[in-house]
Amino acid sequence: MTLNNTIEIDIVKASSSKIASVDFENLTFGNIFSDHMLICDFKDDAWQKPIIKPYEPFLIDPSAKVFHYGQAIFEGMKAYKDDNEDVWLFRPDENFKRFNKSAKRMAMPEVPENVFMEGLKMVVDLDREWVKKGLGNTLYLRPFMIATGHGVIAQPSNEYRFMIILSPAKSYYSGEVKVIIAEHYSRAANGGIGAAKAAGNYSAQFYPTKLANEKGYQQIIWTDDATHTKLEEAGTMNVFIRINDTLYTAPTSERILDGVTRKSLIELAQRDGLSVEVRSVLVEELVNAAKDGSLKEIFGAGTAAVVSPIVAFAYQGTEYQLPKIENSFALKLKEDLTKIQYKLAEDTFGWTVKV
């Protein structure tokens, strides 16, 4: 089967759908997967023919490089259904570019654009019934690549597997989010892989986040590895800070992921005439702003959560509460963004792509 005469993809349809067994009103994020998945293998220095087949486990050699040297990258995306039953992707070109940026950094082969983009559209189209209408309902899309070549010698793999799996989703975070500002642990370092969506970045966060959870905090605001004085990211999200009526977010770097939601919120804020500054914010600035009342909002931004307001932060044993405000930049930007994603507002940026 071909799509727009750009790439041939084999399709093996599931004999029956499991969609009827899914409670879409009570989903645990990333725990249920749709009927189909895409697989494309890289071997003999070339990408092979992609296939879409029923979602199922697969065999892999115990000596596969992914297990021993961590060559694994991924992206997070969503599909949305509008009131006319049409399904849309949001800025998939940005995810594609970032995926291959990650691949290059991890010494993995870049995925061809037609495999990524047309394969993504085709598998989403095949499972379009898994995309439910209504604000908050999405189909979370997880393109990823792992090293499948065997052998435990410390060198890049010679074989890889690119896959796309799909998971129906609602809101990622629920309830109030409180954070601790990192004083010792780091998410990433200069010269490292912080700007790549590499699996190891996330596993390295688990232990310090566990320590934060034990103290009653849901996430960590990461600081720079050298001095721990600059605010960088919030958990697995980019972070925004509003002091008075100016919105601040850290510039992207080798340590900070170039978030698609982050850049979209910046463009929306600028369109709406909000004051936005892309620069490093010092921990000292944040604490002083909390003390003098000029700190209005902190929020995380990412594909899974979209926008996640933070109600309090802790630093050096002191907790600072965020004020409850009526003219929330976070909620306004989230509303503006989701309206575009669900086609409830005109997409003047050209961000949405119909499946």
Side-chain angles (χ1 to χ4, degrees), residues 5-17:
N5 297 317
T6 56
I7 185 172
E8 186 174 326
I9 299 179
D10 287 336
I11 294 182
V12 179
K13 291 187 177 181
S15 58
S16 61
S17 176

Side-chain angles (χ1 to χ4, degrees), residues 118-135:
E118 306 305 337
L120 180 69
K121 292 175 184 177
M122 188 176 289
V123 72
V124 170
D125 187 42
L126 193 60
D127 282 352
R128 64 190 302 117
E129 293 306 312
W130 288 78
V131 193
K132 298 301 181 182
K133 290 194 301 184
L135 286 173

Side-chain angles (χ1 to χ4, degrees), residues 254-324:
E254 290 180 314
R255 303 185 307 274
I256 298 177
L257 191 70
D258 186 10
V260 178
T261 303
R262 169 191 174 276
K263 65 177 62 177
S264 302
L265 294 181
I266 290 173
E267 291 184 59
L268 283 170
Q270 292 172 334
R271 181 200 68 179
D272 294 342
L274 302 180
S275 176
V276 182
E277 290 190 24
V278 179
R279 70 163 176 84
S280 296
V281 176
L282 300 178
V283 177
E284 182 181 20
E285 286 184 81
L286 185 73
V287 172
N288 288 339
K291 288 178 178 178
D292 68 22
S294 59
L295 177 63
K296 305 301 182 184
E297 297 181 84
I298 307 173
F299 58 92
T303 298
V306 187
V307 169
S308 184
I310 292 167
V311 300
F313 72 90
Y315 181 64
Q316 293 185 340
T318 300
E319 183 173 291
Y320 301 87
Q321 298 290 323
L322 274 292
K324 296 184 183 299

Side-chain angles (χ1 to χ4, degrees), residues 90-350:
F90 182 74
R91 306 190 78 172
D93 56 319
E94 293 291 340
N95 294 98
F96 166 70
K97 288 186 289 187
R98 190 172 64 183
F99 190 87
N100 277 343
K101 181 180 177 181
S102 298
K104 185 175 181 179
R105 180 61 182 85
M106 298 298 290
M108 304 170 84
E110 295 184 28
V111 175
E113 184 174 6
N114 57 0
V115 172
F116 189 101
M117 299 295 287
E118 306 305 337
L120 180 69
K121 292 175 184 177
M122 188 176 289
V123 72
V124 170
D125 187 42
L126 193 60
D127 282 352
R128 64 190 302 117
E129 293 306 312
W130 288 78
V131 193
K132 298 301 181 182
K133 290 194 301 184
L135 286 173
N137 295 320
T138 62
L139 187 64
Y140 183 78
L141 318 177
R142 173 53 65 91
F144 66 100
M145 179 164 51
I146 59 172
T148 53
H150 69 277
V152 295
I153 186 172
Q155 64 184 28
S157 177
N158 60 358
E159 295 184 0
Y160 297 87
R161 172 162 286 190
F162 171 68
M163 298 185 64
I164 302 174
I165 56 177
L166 320 174
S167 178
K170 283 186 173 291
S171 177
Y172 187 62
Y173 293 112
S174 60
E176 295 187 338
V177 176
K178 299 197 299 181
V179 299
I180 287 179
I181 294 179
E183 299 178 55
H184 173 71
Y185 293 102
S186 299
R187 176 190 174 273
N190 282 330
I193 59 173
K197 280 191 75 72
N201 288 342
Y202 296 79
S203 59
Q205 294 185 45
F206 293 160
Y207 177 67
T209 303
K210 177 178 179 288
L211 297 180
N213 294 162
E214 290 171 354
K215 295 179 180 179
Y217 296 88
Q218 287 71 46
Q219 286 291 349
I220 297 171
I221 290 186
W222 302 102
T223 50
D224 68 289
D225 64 297
T227 66
H228 292 291
T229 60
K230 299 175 183 178
L231 301 168
E232 298 208 320
E233 291 196 347
T236 58
M237 302 176 288
N238 295 112
V239 65
F240 286 81
I241 297 158
R242 176 185 171 189
I243 298 176
N244 290 319
D245 284 330
T246 298
L247 201 57
Y248 300 90
T249 192
T252 56
S253 68
E254 290 180 314
R255 303 185 307 274
I256 298 177
L257 191 70
D258 186 10
V260 178
T261 303
R262 169 191 174 276
K263 65 177 62 177
S264 302
L265 294 181
I266 290 173
E267 291 184 59
L268 283 170
Q270 292 172 334
R271 181 200 68 179
D272 294 342
L274 302 180
S275 176
V276 182
E277 290 190 24
V278 179
R279 70 163 176 84
S280 296
V281 176
L282 300 178
V283 177
E284 182 181 20
E285 286 184 81
L286 185 73
V287 172
N288 288 339
K291 288 178 178 178
D292 68 22
S294 59
L295 177 63
K296 305 301 182 184
E297 297 181 84
I298 307 173
F299 58 92
T303 298
V306 187
V307 169
S308 184
I310 292 167
V311 300
F313 72 90
Y315 181 64
Q316 293 185 340
T318 300
E319 183 173 291
Y320 301 87
Q321 298 290 323
L322 274 292
K324 296 184 183 299
I325 58 176
E326 293 183 2
N327 62 330
S328 166
F329 285 7
L331 297 182
K332 176 64 166 61
L333 291 171
K334 180 178 182 179
E335 181 182 11
D336 289 348
L337 183 59
T338 54
K339 280 184 175 180
I340 292 173
Q341 291 168 333
Y342 288 90
K343 308 302 287 186
L344 297 173
E346 184 182 0
D347 176 15
T348 58
F349 297 97

